[in-house]
Amino acid sequence: MESLSNVVKVSVPNYLSALPIPNSIGGIFRLSATDCLRLVPLIGTVSFVSWATYRSLFSKSGKVNLTFYKESDKVAHAFDIEDLGNKTSFCRCWRSKKFPYCDGAHKEHNLETGDNVGPVVIKHRE
């Protein structure tokens, strides 16, 4: 623990104070190539920490289907059109408790994510 304390209290401040950080935006253009290279680890670290923070706070999983038929390679349903009745709504947000039928769960999903997904509605011609 003492070595970590030394890094935080001594090594990092010494490293940061030795960096050629310009006092103005115009000073960036007066940095030498060596000075620019000395800034690369700091810029890389700040960029990575910013990206990781953004991902953890604002990014959702890339998967759409979080719960249904996970043991299957692909989820597909087939229905006879005669069995659907006059009007049937199918879920496209994968959040419906009645999946594959829509139960309106997309409303909450849209509020949480800023998405605009809605159901697929199939009905007979009038």
Side-chain angles (χ1 to χ4, degrees):
M1 197 65 177
E2 192 172 317
S3 61
L4 178 62
S5 173
N6 186 46
V7 167
V8 171
K9 291 181 180 178
V10 179
S11 298
V12 171
N14 287 343
Y15 168 73
L16 292 174
S17 66
L19 286 177
I21 299 174
N23 293 328
S24 68
I25 292 182
I28 293 172
F29 302 108
R30 291 188 287 277
L31 291 173
S32 69
T34 305
D35 289 340
C36 289
L37 288 175
R38 289 176 56 203
L39 289 172
V40 167
L42 175 67
I43 292 169
T45 302
V46 169
S47 298
F48 174 76
V49 169
S50 300
W51 172 80
T53 302
Y54 173 80
R55 290 276 305 188
S56 67
L57 294 177
F58 302 110
S59 219
K60 298 284 184 185
S61 165
K63 294 184 178 186
V64 177
N65 177 10
L66 303 176
T67 55
F68 297 101
Y69 309 107
K70 298 305 285 181
E71 67 282 353
S72 299
D73 291 336
K74 178 171 79 171
V75 179
H77 294 89
F79 299 92
D80 287 329
I81 195 79
E82 294 82 16
D83 296 338
L84 293 180
N86 290 331
K87 179 179 170 184
T88 303
S89 298
F90 290 101
C91 177
R92 290 194 303 171
C93 72
W94 293 87
R95 304 301 186 266
S96 173
K97 301 284 189 248
K98 298 178 181 179
F99 190 85
Y101 300 102
C102 178
D103 68 356
H106 59 273
K107 293 172 191 161
E108 184 178 339
H109 166 77
N110 289 345
L111 288 174
E112 288 175 3
T113 63
D115 205 350
N116 64 348
V117 70
V120 172
V121 179
I122 298 181
K123 62 182 180 174
H124 289 280
R125 285 191 190 133
E126 297 174 2

